[in-house]
Amino acid sequence: METFPRIISVDDHTVEPPRVWQDRLPSRYRDTGPRIVRAPLKEMTFLGGRFAPVMGAPGDDGPLGDWWVYEDLHRPLTRLDTAVGFDRDEIRLEVITYEQMRPGSHSVPERLADMDANHVQSALCFPTFPRFCGQTFTEARDRDLGLLCVRAYNDWMVEEWCGPDARGRLIPLTLVPLWDAALAAAEVRRNAARGVRAVAFSEIPPHLGLPSIHTDAWDPFLEACDETGTVIAMHIGSSSRMPSTSADAPPAVGSTITYANCCFSMVDWLMSGKFERFPHLRIMYAEGQIGWIPYILERADTVWQENRGWGGVADKVLRPPSELFAGHVYGCFFDDAFGLRNLDAIGVGNVLYETDYPHSDSTWPKSREVGAAQMRHLDPGTVERIVRGNAIDLLRLTPEGLWPGR
């Protein structure tokens, strides 16, 4: 492919700078709010989809890393958080410091330079320390502090990460206090008023101890998203459970089936009746890939057609799930040749491109080459829609693909 469109990535990541919360929380919370501590690693495992690091005490043996400390939580920065630039076989589950990571992980000027090196024009970034939908704050004891932390993150995201230095190339993705749907709705509206068009949410809320999408508990939040045109963005792992098969399964097992929670979640939404009640609602699945979608839609349509009488959906799902998918759901991919070969069964308008910078799965700095190779059978207009056009429409970017701000 001689020319390849400038990429708009709908799934990249930011590693929050050390003082995001220290600079924004009231002084009384400085000792309990999120802060960085440099400390040794005592031990760390990642088995059965569970990440279990243990921070050592000062003076203990072990590699030094930078740790986020918040209430009783000790969460280290790891090479998996910022793996780009390293040979694949050099990427290990190890703690690192800010000095050891690629600067583009946390600094806007260096991020823009790395985007240029990867043929990326604009990018929407998920968080690191808050985790993919802010569940770090949902799991905390002090909900007043948690709400302040959510708002502080959103202020940093809008005003600094996506501020003037980003020149419209970084697209804000904000968080909500998941423990209170009314507060979540208020936060959606607060950020929509300053131009935010995407909010992070959990793929399977009950895994976080929260109500399911089949209840009415989320209606205030969904109404706010419907009213403001805010896209609900769900990243793999945003339920704090990566798919796995057993407690001793190595990470490679979970990495192979990362799409599974997206699959389960999408069926939940299609069978929930929410798209009938909130007709302007749009959802997207970050890093879920797309090759699995055609069969799930086929099966969901069959169940709806043949079994809706006893399946509990006849009175709320009024159209075939595949029709609901076409109008409301977006799959996101960075490396899925199979899905692209079956694009007709998914829908050109329901597919978004991503680069996953700076994670270990990222196609940086060859996202253009990977995309061009996998899309070489597609006509230029289709490639344009997948690589940038659909994102421009969904996130209401400028025709040039930039975030317009307020």
Side-chain angles (χ1 to χ4, degrees):
M1 190 174 294
E2 292 185 4
T3 61
F4 193 76
R6 288 288 300 280
I7 297 165
I8 297 177
S9 175
V10 297
D11 171 32
D12 286 358
H13 299 264
T14 178
V15 176
E16 300 79 20
R19 297 198 58 83
V20 167
W21 289 276
Q22 290 292 293
D23 288 346
R24 290 170 177 80
L25 291 175
S27 58
R28 67 183 182 277
Y29 288 120
R30 298 278 165 77
D31 293 334
T32 52
R35 59 206 181 275
I36 285 290
V37 173
R38 186 158 294 182
L41 172 70
K42 187 174 182 180
E43 61 180 279
M44 182 162 58
T45 59
F46 189 12
L47 291 172
R50 298 287 184 178
F51 178 47
V54 179
M55 187 171 79
D60 284 353
D61 292 334
L64 284 176
D66 284 335
W67 297 68
W68 283 105
V69 177
Y70 170 48
E71 292 190 339
D72 296 329
L73 175 65
H74 298 155
R75 197 282 193 193
L77 297 174
T78 75
R79 176 57 61 205
L80 299 186
D81 293 325
T82 173
V84 293
F86 285 81
D87 183 88
R88 297 289 184 181
D89 290 335
E90 294 177 350
I91 300 171
R92 302 278 191 270
L93 183 60
E94 58 187 5
V95 295
I96 60 170
T97 66
Y98 278 91
E99 290 81 6
Q100 293 170 319
M101 71 175 65
R102 192 171 185 87
S105 302
H106 60 87
S107 172
V108 170
E110 286 85 354
R111 172 60 64 94
L112 298 184
D114 279 353
M115 289 164 61
D116 288 337
N118 198 32
H119 200 63
V120 173
Q121 179 188 32
S122 307
L124 178 138
C125 297
F126 283 81
T128 296
F129 168 69
R131 311 219 298 281
F132 294 142
C133 67
Q135 58 264 57
T136 293
F137 305 124
T138 300
E139 296 166 356
R141 294 187 305 273
D142 188 334
R143 289 290 169 79
D144 291 335
L145 173 56
L147 179 58
L148 290 172
C149 286
V150 167
R151 289 175 174 167
Y153 177 87
N154 292 340
D155 291 344
W156 169 80
M157 167 62 62
V158 175
E159 298 167 6
E160 189 169 333
W161 183 252
C162 300
D165 289 347
R167 306 194 302 275
R169 297 182 61 189
L170 295 173
I171 306 162
L173 172 70
T174 51
L175 305 175
V176 292
L178 292 167
W179 58 89
D180 187 311
L183 288 176
E187 192 62 12
V188 166
R189 292 189 172 97
R190 182 176 84 94
N191 291 305
R194 48 184 178 174
V196 176
R197 295 293 178 259
V199 62
F201 190 65
S202 174
E203 58 202 354
I204 307 177
H207 286 348
L208 303 178
L210 300 169
S212 83
I213 202 66
H214 299 288
T215 72
D216 294 334
W218 294 107
D219 284 4
F221 166 70
L222 300 181
E223 182 179 11
C225 293
D226 182 78
E227 171 193 308
T228 61
T230 299
V231 179
I232 297 175
M234 292 171 282
H235 195 284
I236 59 167
S238 56
S239 58
S240 294
R241 293 189 193 178
M242 292 300 290
S244 191
T245 55
S246 62
D248 58 351
V253 172
S255 186
T256 302
I257 56 175
T258 51
Y259 71 90
N261 281 350
C262 299
C263 173
F264 301 154
S265 173
M266 190 179 81
V267 175
D268 252 357
W269 281 87
L270 293 176
M271 297 299 187
S272 69
K274 299 302 183 185
F275 296 136
E276 304 282 4
R277 296 184 54 205
F278 303 102
H280 304 296
L281 206 58
R282 302 291 184 272
I283 67 175
M284 56 171 269
Y285 287 101
E287 207 172 326
Q289 312 302 339
I290 59 175
W292 54 272
I293 291 175
Y295 174 70
I296 293 301
L297 293 179
E298 177 183 293
R299 177 60 183 165
D301 278 359
T302 298
V303 170
W304 179 82
Q305 185 67 42
E306 303 294 335
N307 300 330
R308 63 179 180 266
W310 61 265
V313 297
D315 60 342
K316 60 182 179 180
V317 182
L318 308 181
R319 291 177 288 159
S322 60
E323 289 187 19
L324 297 173
F325 172 89
H328 298 273
V329 184
Y330 294 78
C332 310
F333 77 100
F334 56 80
D335 187 6
D336 193 338
F338 180 84
L340 289 167
R341 291 196 300 270
N342 293 274
L343 191 59
D344 288 346
I346 302 169
V348 172
N350 297 85
V351 174
L352 304 168
Y353 198 45
E354 58 181 62
T355 77
D356 196 32
Y357 177 103
H359 284 182
S360 61
D361 260 343
S362 178
T363 51
W364 186 92
K366 297 184 179 297
S367 299
R368 169 172 50 183
E369 291 82 354
V370 171
Q374 295 189 352
M375 299 183 210
R376 62 182 178 272
H377 64 292
L378 301 175
D379 65 84
T382 297
V383 175
E384 176 82 16
R385 289 187 66 184
I386 292 171
V387 174
R388 57 185 290 111
N390 291 337
I392 289 173
D393 293 342
L394 179 65
L395 299 171
R396 287 184 278 170
L397 306 178
T398 69
E400 296 75 28
L402 302 174
W403 178 56
R406 288 178 175 82

